[in-house]
Amino acid sequence: MIVTFGSINVDLIYLVNEIPQAGQTVLARGSRTEPGGKGANQALAAARDGADVVMIGAVGNDAMAPIALQNLESEVDISRVVRSNEPTGSAAIIIDADGRNMIAVAAGANLAAQSDGVEDELLRNASYVLMQMENDAVQIENLIRRVSNHPAKSILNLAPAYRLDRDLLSLVDIVIVNEDEAEALSGWLGCEPSARSLSEALNTGVLRTMGGEGAEAFINGEKVTVPALRVDAVDTTAAGDCFVGVLASALDRGLLLDAAMRRAAKAAAIVCSRPGSQSSIPDNGETDSWTWENQGQSPA
């Protein structure tokens, strides 16, 4: 079982030809509203890949809460998601014609999520506890310490980049960063941004995703690199979250690191090939059917 302590948002998505510069107004080609949030996206990706997932988080008592929960409620255990007087978290996402994005997030009710919502019994039964940085940092820090005293392994997606104490990060089993987050983390630690250098500086496992260049990891002294699949990118919004969620699911059911990373890369490529946030996340059958020999073709 995977326990996800994380954000639950509504994504307000705007499709533009070019991402605007500071002070510039551009007309969008279209817009849509979707459920999102790093925590919710990763929980949903893990569940669609076949994992048993429990979500811990918070939404508001507003009209956006049902939108934020509409996918989770049918695929994830949300019985521990609480209601807050703060508005449901939201994100404004601007996507250009090449699928690149720019995102601003308002945490809202996500800051009301409490780490003690993850009771000790859950930690005793979970194989992995998955966290990101869109909730209150103190609650995340508390949960990292608690997980370190249980058999469950912790995965922290340090996104968005937030400076946590080196000793605290060393308690995490796998720290996942993208290229920008790796640069920030390496600056704080005084090392190179590679997975190996970050891992050695923290004395724990580190995985770095590198967009079109694939991903690399250095965990328990093992270096693993996997390429990205070549697809025509339509929308990269949820690709990173899908990678993390599917990686957790694959590790949960016993896949070795290399196989888990390759599966996560396949799922992320499928996400990039079609529009949407949670709506673009594949189920396990879609990921199973996509092979490395299919590179350059659009997933069915």
Side-chain angles (χ1 to χ4, degrees), residues 285-300:
E286 292 177 286
T287 305
D288 287 341
S289 66
W290 188 247
T291 68
W292 289 89
E293 289 74 25
N294 293 137
Q295 290 192 64
Q297 303 176 29
S298 295

Side-chain angles (χ1 to χ4, degrees), residues 39-288:
N41 292 348
Q42 293 177 16
L44 188 67
R48 286 186 177 168
D49 195 56
D52 180 13
V53 182
V54 176
M55 181 81 209
I56 313 293
V59 295
N61 288 301
D62 54 19
M64 290 209 295
I67 299 172
L69 295 172
Q70 66 184 29
N71 289 330
L72 291 178
E73 62 187 2
S74 62
E75 303 188 61
V76 172
D77 180 348
I78 60 170
S79 61
R80 294 170 179 80
V81 173
V82 300
R83 296 281 179 158
S84 167
N85 290 327
E86 295 296 319
T88 299
S90 61
I93 302 174
I94 299 174
I95 303 170
D96 71 10
D98 294 321
R100 297 171 299 186
N101 61 56
M102 180 171 64
I103 304 173
V105 178
N110 291 308
L111 296 182
Q114 299 292 304
S115 59
D116 59 11
V118 185
E119 63 264 33
D120 286 342
E121 183 179 358
L122 270 182
L123 294 181
R124 286 192 291 268
N125 293 328
S127 53
Y128 286 90
V129 177
L130 181 57
M131 296 162 279
Q132 314 78 31
M133 295 306 303
E134 289 185 335
N135 299 92
D136 186 320
V138 172
Q139 300 302 317
I140 296 166
E141 291 168 356
N142 290 342
L143 186 54
I144 289 171
R145 293 187 180 96
R146 288 180 57 211
V147 177
S148 69
N149 293 318
H150 287 80
K153 293 184 180 298
S154 56
I155 299 176
L156 175 65
N157 182 202
L158 195 68
Y162 185 92
R163 187 167 187 169
L164 294 176
D165 183 78
R166 182 194 299 247
D167 292 340
L168 183 76
L169 287 173
S170 296
L171 298 178
V172 178
D173 290 287
I174 305 176
V175 177
I176 300 179
V177 289
N178 65 15
E179 290 175 287
D180 290 339
E181 294 146 7
E183 288 286 351
L185 182 57
S186 69
W188 301 329
L189 296 174
C191 66
E192 295 299 315
S194 69
R196 180 169 189 154
S197 293
L198 293 170
S199 174
E200 291 175 345
L202 291 173
N203 193 32
T204 196
V206 173
L207 188 154
R208 180 174 69 146
T209 61
M210 301 177 291
E213 299 302 313
E216 62 167 5
F218 196 79
I219 299 174
N220 295 327
E222 176 189 8
K223 182 179 179 180
V224 175
T225 60
V226 298
L229 275 77
R230 296 188 301 274
V231 295
D232 294 328
V234 173
D235 182 352
T236 62
T237 302
D241 290 337
C242 180
F243 183 100
V244 175
V246 172
L247 178 83
S249 171
L251 293 173
D252 175 57
R253 61 176 178 271
L255 269 67
L256 297 179
L257 180 60
D258 179 80
M261 288 175 63
R262 286 177 176 271
R263 182 170 185 82
K266 289 199 297 179
I270 294 173
V271 167
C272 291
S273 73
R274 53 199 190 192
S277 298
Q278 291 183 8
S279 60
S280 69
I281 295 173
D283 61 29
N284 54 2
E286 292 177 286
T287 305
D288 287 341

